[in-house]
Amino acid sequence: MAETKNAFVCGHPISHSRSPIIHGHWLKTYGVSGDYRAVDVRPEDFKDFATNLVANGFVGGNVTIPHKEAAFALADSRETVAEIIGAANTLWLENGRLCATNTDAYGFAANLDERSPGWDAHKTALVIGAGGASRAVIYALIERGFKTIHVANRTEGRARELADRFGAKVIAHPFAALDELAKDAGLLVNTTSLGMKGEGYIPLDMAKVRSDALVTDIVYVPLITPFLADAKAHGLKIADGLGMLLHQAAPGFEKWFGVQPKVTSQLRNMIIADMEAAK
Ligand code: ATR
């Protein structure tokens, strides 16, 4: 009989996580003898948890808020993408060493590849927000050959930090520049928490956006954020953020369980049903 492998998602709080549904679905679909469960780990307990994965019965797992930076710092070995983003969301063991990567950039690009092929044709993007999620998006855009990445943030200094981190392709702006920047961008990405659960709005006039632009949001609750609804009402193409969550999960599953899983409409619909039930 195959050995049962156990993986986790840890955060604090963690009860809202949909990762157990995603990995549980794949374990069942591919007939893998394994388990994936949510573990609530307090910040003061994270080091002990992450450095004793084997003793805790795990082959690896996902890390979410507030442990992404700590996971990065504790790892013995890190993939370049995690080094550049400065945070890790996926841990696994290799010869007893704790390895870390960040799959958010991959998830972002894979979602747009699936839902809006050709999204990377126009090489100027406008990224709204300058937090951890923004770093993953900028990494993906640079990988895909974007030449100009405007980053607008409420606190302009944080956008400037990203420009320093990523180099000349990234240009920092205050929110006041949004309307002017929108005229130029073929891709607009919200990486802020604005619009989450319908709260807050981005001060951007959609009428200024190019008619061929794609508008996307990494917030996926609600699925159609006010930002996306506004873009749609202006006749623009939109892509919601749920697929980023689904796709970012795939590399971890492959590392722990040895099967490359597929993101299907069945899986997407399962998560949407869970979101509806939680309303
Ligand atoms: P994450 O890692 O999820 O990106 P974060 O690092 O806390 O989270 O970053 C949150 C982003 O949302 C930041 O760009 C933040 O802007 P500031 O840098 O100015 O704080 C943005 N954000 C959050 N609440 C906001 C609000 N009410 N108005 C404008 N921007 C907001």
Side-chain angles (χ1 to χ4, degrees), residues 9-53:
V9 56
C10 73
H12 186 71
I14 196 62
S15 56
H16 64 281
S17 175
R18 293 187 166 93
S19 293
I21 304 177
I22 299 170
H23 291 279
H25 172 74
W26 284 336
L27 287 168
K28 210 166 125 202
T29 302
Y30 299 105
V32 175
S33 174
D35 177 63
Y36 182 100
R37 74 186 76 131
V39 188
D40 195 316
V41 179
R42 294 177 304 174
E44 58 270 37
D45 298 330
F46 181 73
K47 184 175 179 190
D48 189 50
F49 177 81
T51 51
N52 289 291
L53 291 189

Side-chain angles (χ1 to χ4, degrees), residues 88-104:
N89 71 345
T90 304
L91 296 174
W92 71 101
L93 293 163
E94 259 174 44
N95 303 322
R97 285 166 64 79
L98 184 65
C99 302
T101 193
N102 191 309
T103 65
D104 286 336

